[in-house]
Amino acid sequence: MGRIEEKFNELKATGKKALVVYLTAGDPDLEKTREFVLAMDRAGVDICEIGVPFSDPTADGPIIQAASQRALKGGANLRKILKMIKKIRNISQIPIVLFGYYNPIYSYGNRKFAAAARDAGVDGILVVDLPPEESEELKIYTDPLGMDFISLIAPTTSNARIEEIVNNASGFLYYISITGVTGTAKPSVENVKADIKRIRRLSNLPVVVGFGITSPEQAGQIAPLADGVVIGSAIVKMIEKNSSEKNLLQIVSSFAMEVKKAIS
Amino acid sequence: MQKRLPDKHGHFGIFGGRYAAETLMPALIEMEEAYRKAQKDKTFQAEFNYYLKQYAGRETPLYFARRLTEKLGGAKIYLKREDLNHTGSHKLNNTLGQALLAKRMGKNRVIAETGAGQHGVATATVAALFGMACHIFMGKEDIRRQAPNVFRMKILGAEVVPVASGTATLKDAMNEAMRQWVSRVRDTFYVIGTTAGPHPYPMMVRNFQSVIGREAKRQILKGEGRLPDFLIACVGGGSNAMGLFYPFRKDLQVRMIGVEAAGYGLDTGKHAASISAGSIGVLHGNRTYLLQDEYGQVHDAHSIAAGLDYPGVGPEHAYFSQSGRARYVAVKDDEAMEAFRVLSQCEGIIPAMESSHAVAYALKLAPELSKNKIIIINLSGRGDKDAEVVAEKMGV
């Protein structure tokens, strides 16, 4: 059993919801990202999504766009990010999902990437622009290594398509709570509720909700509808705003703890 | 027997496809289905042809450039006069098609990206024609260098949205248009201006632009009684080139040459020649040749022609290059500038800086060929929009 499945089993057994935190790797630098992940683990975050910065992040709003630009300027790349994750694994067993766009992976080489990611201790991958129609070319390398292929479901996704997607997915399903890019709108609880119901009828995989959740209150409203929530842009923004603060780690950790409390 | 391309998932060999976020996938599938139906619908085709003729002013002439031919002393040169289309370039062929499709799909709001502004103007034009709301995304840098087209779009009633993210040029405008589309996918139709983007765009844009090649074929057969030996067209994303090439693809005696922008030179790193000097990657929904670093981060392109300033290329061009059906070369900024001057002063036709790249390659090729050879250059747009930049450089 992989770390992701184990984590959801553990949460289910105790009736808890998952808190998933997204961090852009390399913002402000990779050493800081490593420290953030460890701090998130200590703060009770259940799963970390580590964002691989890309020059053309078409599914992201302004906050993550800017973070990606900063990370790239600082010299972050997939090879260094995997190295950083390997270092995390010396200390922490928090489930890690690599989140990003296809081109940096494709450029690394799909076969080589799968082996290196497994070796680094990556548990799952979420490639935003790799829908089921195109994902086979990567999955043939990542599936045999037991890496989860996390798939996105949007409000616009039809039931027929959800079936196709869940057949192709493992680990958990990521429900995009808004028709928009990351961190740009508030999800409507009613819509989320209806869509999760739709998904549940077609799959037994855990469902987490993300793309528009920015506050503990919102997380507290959404979490009961699903198996977990993702906080991304809100954390990335907080890191940017407080980047010169000495107690940056503490600030980010307390926010994570607040969210965790709100969904417990 | 050649297979019909693209395949059902939009692949041209290993190129193309539909690498898009899930939020867009249903919209792309809906669009593809609507397009396939429209393609078979005689009413849609009749309507499209009506607007091409009565509104765009087609067909455009295939003009024999006698003075240029004599000056170069080699092959006969014909110009396919897309610059005479309404709005001044070939772009209107495609925007008319897509706007009619949008109307058919009940979408009353169109968005588009633009680099040089030609596609933006062509989109704003059809939005005015069909009474649609229109938002054009344009890099801040391009807004500065293509001011006349910005005014035209505004006069036509479109809202021009400046894009400051990334490098503030065409690729960032396209990123922003995609983000906007994701956010308003239910009521909005994204009019992509070139043969790139996720399936069905490369196929759809190619088909709408193929009117160029179909006319040229008919015209040259009528005028010369035979097919041409060479087709030459500039390639940024590649819509004018594909429009000319596609109807000739099975006529293997016709050689097709796509001219990319070599900017300051291929060895300087400041160019837009994705096929000549790029590598394979995935951007804006399709696999193709890209300008990128070793980590898969996409570079900025550079060209004096804003319309060629794109770090990718249409997937079918990538396929034509790999299969050898077409050949791709690159022409530098200063060579294009010289061709701009030569054509203006030799034929009284001021070409767009983009099209000047195709002319520049013809200036090299024609003198090497015998007089019984025939070249068709796609003169994809007129050069009024470039007058300011050229005047500055020529010291006029």
Side-chain angles (χ1 to χ4, degrees), chain B residues 26-79:
Chain B
L28 292 166
I29 292 166
E30 182 196 3
M31 178 181 289
E32 184 193 348
E33 282 168 2
Y35 173 66
R36 289 199 192 274
K37 270 188 206 149
Q39 236 184 335
K40 288 183 206 135
D41 180 348
K42 287 203 175 102
T43 326
F44 180 85
Q45 291 304 332
E47 203 179 2
F48 180 47
N49 289 330
Y50 167 83
Y51 282 104
L52 286 179
K53 181 163 189 266
Q54 300 297 341
Y55 188 73
R58 301 199 72 92
E59 61 181 25
T60 60
L62 183 70
Y63 165 72
F64 172 52
R66 182 181 307 279
R67 289 238 307 144
L68 185 65
T69 300
E70 281 167 8
K71 179 183 159 79
L72 297 175
K76 287 177 96 167
I77 297 177
Y78 282 86
L79 305 175

Side-chain angles (χ1 to χ4, degrees), chain B residues 80-101:
Chain B
K80 181 59 177 161
R81 297 290 308 276
E82 291 302 300
D83 59 317
L84 294 177
N85 243 349
H86 177 42
T87 77
S89 81
H90 71 291
K91 292 291 186 189
L92 188 66
N93 304 330
N94 170 51
T95 58
L96 276 171
Q98 289 197 42
L100 286 170
L101 185 63

